[in-house]
Amino acid sequence: MTRANRPNPIRSARPAVTADLMKQTGLDEARLAELVHCFYAKIRADAVLGPIFAERITDWAPHLERMVAFWSSVALMTGQYHGTPVPKHSSLPVTKGDFERWLTLFAQAARETCPPVGADHVIERAERIARALHIAVEEAQSAPGAVPILR
């Protein structure tokens, strides 16, 4: 096998776990990058969610790169993402309906870009993330300045 045909090894804090998840789900860095780019293209084109993101993100390249690292960590347990998503999202002016729309677009992107098992894998994780962020947003909106408590 030539170097050009050899799969790129994935960077992971837990290589054995990551390799097992990749085998089980059919996901890898390239597939996750495709998912992230497809999803955010849908977000940017969405009449409801697009303006929310456009007000906050002007340079999309670093955001997309960060989101690929995030989904690599979430889906493949690579440990590539080092951030704090709850505080960044808790002050957003979003509703339960916005989170439902986010999940709908994410599921569409996952089904379009991932094998079925991989799509199920990331969709299940996205649902958990959306619940946690929705709780944080609700708490922030009901008690501005309070630290969100995730149940």
Side-chain angles (χ1 to χ4, degrees):
M1 182 181 283
T2 68
R3 182 172 171 78
N5 295 336
R6 206 174 307 145
N8 291 334
I10 192 166
R11 294 181 335 250
S12 178
R14 302 170 197 90
V17 172
T18 297
D20 188 47
L21 284 167
M22 290 172 68
K23 184 177 176 183
Q24 290 175 23
T25 63
L27 299 173
D28 58 19
E29 289 283 322
R31 183 88 62 179
L32 292 172
E34 185 181 357
L35 166 63
V36 166
H37 285 260
C38 178
F39 171 61
Y40 280 101
K42 291 177 182 298
I43 288 286
R44 292 169 80 176
D46 190 76
V48 174
L49 298 178
I52 295 169
F53 280 80
E55 286 179 24
R56 288 155 183 84
I57 302 171
T58 55
D59 187 358
W60 278 90
H63 181 72
L64 294 173
E65 187 177 317
R66 194 167 37 257
M67 292 301 93
V68 171
F70 175 81
W71 282 103
S72 176
S73 291
V74 169
L76 299 176
M77 299 190 64
T78 62
Q80 289 186 31
Y81 177 78
H82 304 285
T84 53
V86 171
K88 290 180 182 182
H89 290 82
S90 62
S91 64
L92 292 176
V94 293
T95 65
K96 181 179 181 191
D98 296 327
F99 280 103
E100 289 171 356
R101 181 72 184 144
W102 183 91
L103 284 170
T104 296
L105 295 176
F106 187 86
Q108 288 173 0
R111 299 268 179 241
E112 290 171 19
T113 60
C114 301
V117 173
D120 291 344
H121 182 74
V122 293
I123 290 167
E124 186 269 331
R125 278 146 184 80
E127 289 169 347
R128 279 196 249 156
I129 291 163
R131 278 193 299 275
L133 291 177
H134 180 246
I135 290 167
V137 167
E138 278 188 331
E139 288 184 1
Q141 289 172 350
S142 66
V147 175
I149 301 169
L150 300 180
R151 297 178 183 101

